[in-house]
Amino acid sequence: MTLHGVVEELAWESAFFGLRSAIVRLRDDAPALDERAFDGFHRIQAKIAASATHQLDALQQFGFRLVEGEADFALPVPAQAVDPQAQTAVAADIVPLRQMAATLFSQSRFRAPWYPPEASGRFYAQWIENAVKGVYDHECLLFRAPDGQINAFVSLRQLNENEARIGLLGGRGAGEKLMLAAVYWAQQRQLKTLRVATQISNLAAIKRYTRSGALMESTAYWLYR
């Protein structure tokens, strides 16, 4: 099968990981791809709908390998929401949040052998720091233990006038509170839909999102070359 698309360099990821990286954007109206399109890149990503088995077969012929599956959920935001009294993270919280994120997300799609062993933890540590600073995600909410230590966090980004997306969500035994905090955050902004994605293998997260009222809208595959 002929694949049509464009290869876009991922400048930030290239600099962060020290690997010249790109992503394939598959489009029927784009030129046909051949091996020359991939020259010069150390890592090339592709994300396709799980139902697009023809694209999966074609990418594998180009040497792409399956890395993980992803499920995307949508949760309707109610007109009234419970306020679980989450706190907004501040600069003084960055160091412990980085440590938590690096530990909790050490086995993402940025794992070895595709990236250096510490890359995944370092990537998500930077993500949560950026969220505290309002970069990419707009805010990080957290809950503390009685001794003041952070025990759970969630980052959020408003996508448009109707939707927001959960970025990172972590904390043992705090899933329900974190989802309540995210929903309340969205409700206060008069948004209609809260979106969140997780690995297909993360059954605990899938159960939490569905218990909170989210519906799975789509599934996808990530492939690397």
Side-chain angles (χ1 to χ4, degrees), residues 74-79 183 191-194 212-215:
L75 173 64
V77 177
V183 168
L191 305 178
K192 299 184 184 305
T193 304
L194 182 62
S212 297
L215 298 175

Side-chain angles (χ1 to χ4, degrees), residues 204-225:
I206 290 173
K207 289 177 181 177
R208 167 42 52 206
Y209 302 149
T210 54
R211 286 173 184 165
S212 297
L215 298 175
M216 187 184 298
E217 282 200 336
S218 63
T219 54
Y221 293 134
W222 281 98
L223 298 97
Y224 289 167
R225 164 185 158 133

